[in-house]
Amino acid sequence: LDVMMWKIDQARSLRDLGKMNEAITQLSEVIEVTKQTEHMSVQCELPRASIALAIAYERMGLREESKGVYQELFTSPARHETGRSILNVMRQAHHNFAYMLYQDGDFEEASKQYQKAFTYAHKLNQEEGSEMLWQAYLKAKRANLGQFQHDILSLLYTTYEDSTNAIVSKRVKEARDILDTMEKKHTSIKEKVLRFFGCKKIDKEGR
């Protein structure tokens, strides 16, 4: 386990020094070992190695390769682990992937990935969890997904309405204000539609 951790840290250092090919080779080797071993402690290093590799690919401009690493990680057994270090890495992985999708203009999928990041962040702390939901809402807004926006804000509000954290409370208030505006807009449209069809009915009967 110590060797795996050392190799990952060394590869990250190589990556940060710009030695991308060396870093990618070493991280790829580590990932293969974690996949083949039956030792859970070694397998738990897969998320750290994967996210380091994905970042290396992205820095080289190999975005599809980077996305592929994230997507493979999201289907690995690591997604079910509950240790705080793994929860944090999985949160970061979904966050990074979401941001790449956002850069590509895929706002709907980016929003979904931020919601997945929330499922991990929420187990770490309220501030992280509320931030992931807020980012999910913003991306849904960019994609003009009305119901999706409503559902995300409702989840944010109901999950954290009793929070005493100042930052979280501020997001909760913003979510509540937006939901109120949505409700008023929906009611206004509904009333206009009813008035319109009511007038049509009267006009038809008058004839």
Side-chain angles (χ1 to χ4, degrees):
L1 175 60
D2 289 342
V3 173
M4 290 293 103
M5 294 175 66
W6 177 81
K7 285 188 174 182
I8 294 171
D9 290 338
Q10 184 188 53
R12 290 171 64 179
S13 296
L14 290 169
R15 181 197 67 194
D16 294 341
L17 289 171
K19 299 179 180 180
M20 298 300 179
N21 290 327
E22 293 178 53
I24 287 172
T25 297
Q26 188 155 313
L27 289 167
S28 297
E29 291 173 355
V30 169
I31 289 172
E32 283 306 309
V33 171
T34 62
K35 289 178 179 178
Q36 295 172 13
T37 186
E38 295 181 358
H39 297 288
M40 185 59 65
S41 59
V42 176
Q43 291 178 6
C44 287
E45 290 303 306
L46 174 64
R48 288 183 66 235
S50 295
I51 198 170
L53 178 60
I55 291 172
Y57 276 134
E58 185 180 6
R59 289 184 184 178
M60 289 186 71
L62 303 173
R63 293 175 62 81
E64 292 308 311
E65 286 81 353
S66 179
K67 290 178 184 177
V69 174
Y70 284 126
Q71 289 170 323
E72 187 172 352
L73 173 61
F74 298 154
T75 60
S76 74
R79 70 187 187 278
H80 300 304
E81 295 297 319
T82 57
R84 289 186 66 83
S85 61
I86 294 182
L87 288 174
N88 188 50
V89 173
M90 293 301 292
R91 175 206 60 78
Q92 185 182 356
H94 279 288
H95 176 276
N96 291 358
F97 188 49
Y99 189 67
M100 292 182 73
L101 293 167
Y102 169 71
Q103 290 177 315
D104 292 342
D106 191 348
F107 304 124
E108 180 174 356
E109 190 58 37
S111 180
K112 292 177 182 178
Q113 287 298 321
Y114 275 117
Q115 287 188 81
K116 289 180 180 179
F118 157 75
T119 63
Y120 294 100
H122 176 61
K123 296 173 184 177
L124 294 168
N125 62 70
Q126 293 184 348
E127 198 169 315
E128 285 279 3
S130 63
E131 173 62 18
M132 292 304 100
L133 284 181
W134 188 252
Q135 290 299 324
Y137 158 69
L138 292 176
K139 284 15 175 216
K141 185 178 180 182
R142 284 293 302 271
N144 198 28
L145 302 170
Q147 187 59 47
F148 209 21
Q149 294 176 55
H150 183 278
D151 292 347
I152 294 168
L153 290 172
S154 295
L155 178 59
L156 195 161
Y157 179 78
T158 57
T159 303
Y160 298 112
E161 62 178 321
D162 296 325
S163 175
T164 57
N165 181 292
I167 294 176
V168 177
S169 295
K170 181 181 178 182
R171 291 197 186 106
V172 169
K173 183 181 183 305
E174 290 175 327
R176 182 67 268 172
D177 289 345
I178 296 170
L179 286 168
D180 286 344
T181 300
M182 286 180 173
E183 183 62 29
K184 288 176 183 176
K185 184 177 180 181
H186 174 75
T187 301
S188 175
I189 293 173
K190 185 177 180 180
E191 288 175 349
K192 288 179 181 178
V193 170
L194 289 174
R195 282 200 300 269
F196 174 78
F197 283 105
C199 290
K200 285 288 187 181
K201 183 177 180 182
I202 293 171
D203 183 53
K204 185 176 181 180
E205 291 175 348
R207 292 180 183 178

